[in-house]
């Protein structure tokens, strides 16, 4: 009987050690993203609306002190539109015109990549685990976050072996509203 109890305790300790390893990895990952000063991200973003999905190709320039500018590179109809997010302010630029678009409230293609960085750096880790994404072993982490308007947003990110985001989902009220496939990311 004592042997069975000892084996059970050893099994539980082994499980806890595995959890501690991943928890340490998530803590390290969050510290790395908190230290980022600036970077460039290219991504394919899909906005999931109730009636349709709208795909965009975007490039984002992020600077910790100045904010982020996201430019649409496709589809052709909206190519060239840029949105700059600085603190809570959103400015839209197109063909030399600059328009104040008010404050950033919800997650959208214009702010999803800076929001992704914020979620990874400062979000509350709800769960994590290993998953395969397109044949690659990834660490999947679900971050609980709150938007500027006070709404809960679940940001789930798949990281490759180098702790670089490969894919992200943004969900509100258990519904995925936006996805982003990261094509490239380069810290400056």
């Amino acid at each position: 009987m004592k042997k069975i109890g000892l084996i059970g305790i050893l099994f539980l300790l082994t499980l806890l050690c595995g959890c501690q390893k991943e928890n340490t990895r998530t803590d390290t990952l969050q510290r790395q993203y908190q230290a980022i000063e600036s970077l460039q991200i290219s991504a394919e973003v899909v906005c999931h609306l109730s009636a349709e999905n709208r795909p965009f190709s975007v490039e984002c320039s992020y600077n910790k002190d100045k904010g982020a500018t996201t430019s649409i590179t496709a589809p052709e109809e909206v190519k060239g539109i840029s949105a700059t997010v600085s603190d809570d302010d959103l400015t839209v630029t197109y063909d030399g015109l600059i328009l104040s678009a008010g404050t950033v409230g919800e997650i959208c293609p214009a702010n999803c990549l800076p929001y992704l960085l914020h979620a990874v750096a400062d979000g509350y880790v709800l769960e994590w685990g290993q998953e395969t994404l397109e044949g690659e072993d990834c660490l999947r982490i679900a971050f609980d976050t709150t938007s500027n308007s006070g709404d809960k947003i679940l940001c789930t990110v798949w990281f490759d072996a180098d702790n670089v985001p490969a894919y992200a989902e943004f969900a509100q009220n258990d519904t995925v509203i936006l996805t982003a496939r990261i094509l490239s990311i380069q810290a400056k």
Side-chain angles (χ1 to χ4, degrees):
M1 184 70 167
K2 286 184 181 180
K3 283 185 178 181
I4 292 174
L6 182 60
I7 290 172
I9 291 172
L10 290 174
F11 177 73
L12 288 174
L13 286 174
T14 303
L15 285 176
L16 289 174
C17 288
C19 289
Q20 182 62 35
K21 177 182 171 188
E22 288 301 326
N23 193 29
T24 301
R25 183 173 174 198
T26 60
D27 290 343
T28 300
L29 191 136
Q30 284 194 294
R31 281 193 302 279
Q32 287 173 341
Y33 279 82
Q34 288 167 355
I36 290 175
E37 293 295 323
S38 65
L39 52 77
Q40 293 284 124
I41 308 172
S42 294
E44 292 174 349
V45 175
V46 178
C47 189
H48 302 279
L49 304 172
S50 58
E52 67 179 313
N53 292 330
R54 291 189 184 160
F56 300 90
S57 294
V58 298
E59 292 182 1
C60 177
S61 246
Y62 169 81
N63 181 289
K64 193 174 197 172
D65 297 325
K66 297 178 183 176
T69 299
T70 302
S71 299
I72 298 173
T73 58
E76 195 63 37
E77 301 83 33
V78 291
K79 183 178 179 176
I81 295 176
S82 293
T84 300
V85 178
S86 181
D87 296 322
D88 291 346
D89 296 324
L90 176 65
T91 305
V92 176
T93 307
Y94 180 71
D95 200 25
L97 295 173
I98 300 173
L99 303 169
S100 176
T103 59
V104 177
E106 301 302 316
I107 198 78
C108 65
N111 69 354
C112 70
L113 296 179
Y115 197 93
L116 166 68
L117 298 173
H118 163 72
V120 173
D122 299 317
Y124 178 78
V125 176
L126 285 178
E127 62 184 34
W128 67 88
Q130 293 297 128
E131 283 190 14
T132 302
L133 179 69
E134 297 180 350
E136 296 286 327
D137 288 331
C138 293
L139 173 63
R140 178 188 168 275
I141 305 176
F143 297 96
D144 185 22
T145 66
T146 303
S147 71
N148 291 337
S149 62
D151 294 326
K152 289 288 185 187
I153 297 176
L154 180 66
C155 180
T156 305
V157 185
W158 285 257
F159 296 90
D160 67 15
D162 296 322
N163 290 339
V164 175
Y167 187 78
E169 288 182 350
F170 301 87
Q172 279 184 300
N173 303 320
D174 298 322
T175 301
V176 174
I177 55 173
L178 199 132
T179 55
R181 180 170 314 286
I182 310 302
L183 303 175
S184 70
I185 186 166
Q186 183 178 21
K188 291 182 174 184

